[in-house]
Amino acid sequence: MNASPPPPASGRNPDAGRAREAMGWLHTAHFLLSAPQLDLLPTLDLPEIAFVGRSNAGKSTAINTLTQQKRLAYASKTPGRTQHINLFGVGKGQVDDAVLADLPGYGYAAVPQEAKHRWQRVMGNYLATRPALRGVVLMCDPRLGLTELDELLLELIRPRVEEGLKFLVLLTKADKLSRAEANKVLSITRLQAGGGEVKLFSALKRQGVDAVAELLWQWTHAAPETPETTEAPAAPES
């Protein structure tokens, strides 16, 4: 059962209160460390949410919008420039209770092939083996849809999704679509996502911001799931 953010004061809209709490929580995000490879990342024993996506899919902009900080995640004018895994701590009262992981963008044509392969190995190892990983947010430009690289990533995490890993496909730059186009790409992506959540998102118009913030809060504050115990069959009555 998923936990919900603390209830708002009486007399207020409950949905608005939950969004306010979740946004306030994300606003505490701060830089922890940066590492070029997985073995240099410490085990922090906190639930992690990874942000992934093709270069120029709006990943850094989405992170900055969700955390209400202009330069938390580096938004380069040159896609593919960020080559490290960057970790950000999140938690109220100066006590972190979750981590956001900004992974290198992938698929940018101008990046040397050797660098592409290195990034793919680092990202693949992180997504497949990071013990604290609780959820994955895949950024996608809805005008392009899920590309072959995006589908490979979804296939990579599928075994972990079957074990309970959460994932969300975030259709960024939704303000560039008409309503009909948005509804169409939303329907198509839901079919492609294979059970993951799909949401439209616009940093410019703040579309989907509150909903995504609440979802991330729920992912990292959910009560631990315990395996269902199998009751022994009752002895037959004599």
Side-chain angles (χ1 to χ4, degrees):
M1 179 177 178
N2 285 344
S4 296
S10 59
R12 294 180 180 177
N13 184 321
D15 292 336
R18 286 193 293 268
R20 190 179 300 110
E21 289 286 345
M23 291 297 292
W25 171 71
L26 281 171
H27 187 49
T28 67
H30 57 278
F31 178 77
L32 289 177
L33 58 93
S34 181
Q37 55 196 56
L38 191 60
D39 58 6
L40 297 179
L41 285 179
T43 301
L44 300 175
D45 198 28
L46 292 172
E48 294 183 13
I49 297 175
F51 290 81
V52 300
R54 286 176 58 89
S55 298
N56 209 26
K59 178 164 57 68
S60 297
T61 300
I63 293 174
N64 289 339
T65 300
L66 287 165
T67 59
Q68 307 121 81
Q69 300 183 42
K70 293 182 179 180
R71 297 184 60 82
L72 182 69
Y74 183 69
S76 173
K77 292 183 179 179
T78 305
R81 181 173 175 179
T82 304
Q83 303 179 26
H84 290 61
I85 296 176
N86 297 306
L87 300 186
F88 308 102
V90 189
K92 291 188 174 182
Q94 298 183 335
V95 178
D96 292 341
D97 58 14
V99 172
L100 308 180
D102 182 11
L103 273 61
Y106 53 85
Y108 188 60
V111 175
Q113 198 68 24
E114 181 180 347
K116 286 183 183 180
H117 290 160
R118 182 176 67 81
W119 298 353
Q120 289 169 3
R121 286 194 299 272
V122 170
M123 185 166 57
N125 288 337
Y126 174 92
L127 294 173
T129 66
R130 187 70 170 169
L133 187 63
R134 183 70 58 84
V136 176
V137 181
L138 170 61
M139 308 290 181
C140 172
D141 186 331
R143 297 168 297 177
L144 301 175
L146 289 176
T147 66
E148 182 179 355
L149 288 174
D150 296 323
E151 291 176 351
L152 286 172
L153 186 145
L154 291 178
E155 192 62 31
L156 173 68
I157 66 173
R158 193 170 303 282
R160 297 197 68 175
V161 170
E162 293 173 355
E163 295 173 356
L165 180 73
K166 307 294 185 182
F167 82 92
L168 164 69
V169 179
L170 204 59
L171 299 171
T172 60
K173 308 178 184 181
D175 53 277
K176 299 183 182 295
L177 303 176
S178 67
R179 179 173 296 183
E181 290 170 336
N183 289 335
K184 181 179 179 180
V185 73
L186 198 58
S187 298
I188 292 173
T189 309
R190 280 172 175 159
L191 292 174
Q192 294 174 307
E197 298 204 45
V198 182
K199 292 186 182 296
L200 293 165
F201 187 91
S202 169
L204 181 64
K205 295 188 176 180
R206 295 194 58 79
Q207 180 181 1
V209 175
D210 287 353
V212 174
E214 287 188 57
L215 188 62
L216 301 187
W217 199 99
Q218 292 167 4
W219 283 2
T220 52
H221 294 78
E225 295 183 4
T226 55
E228 295 183 3
T229 55
T230 303
E231 295 183 1
E237 296 181 0
S238 56

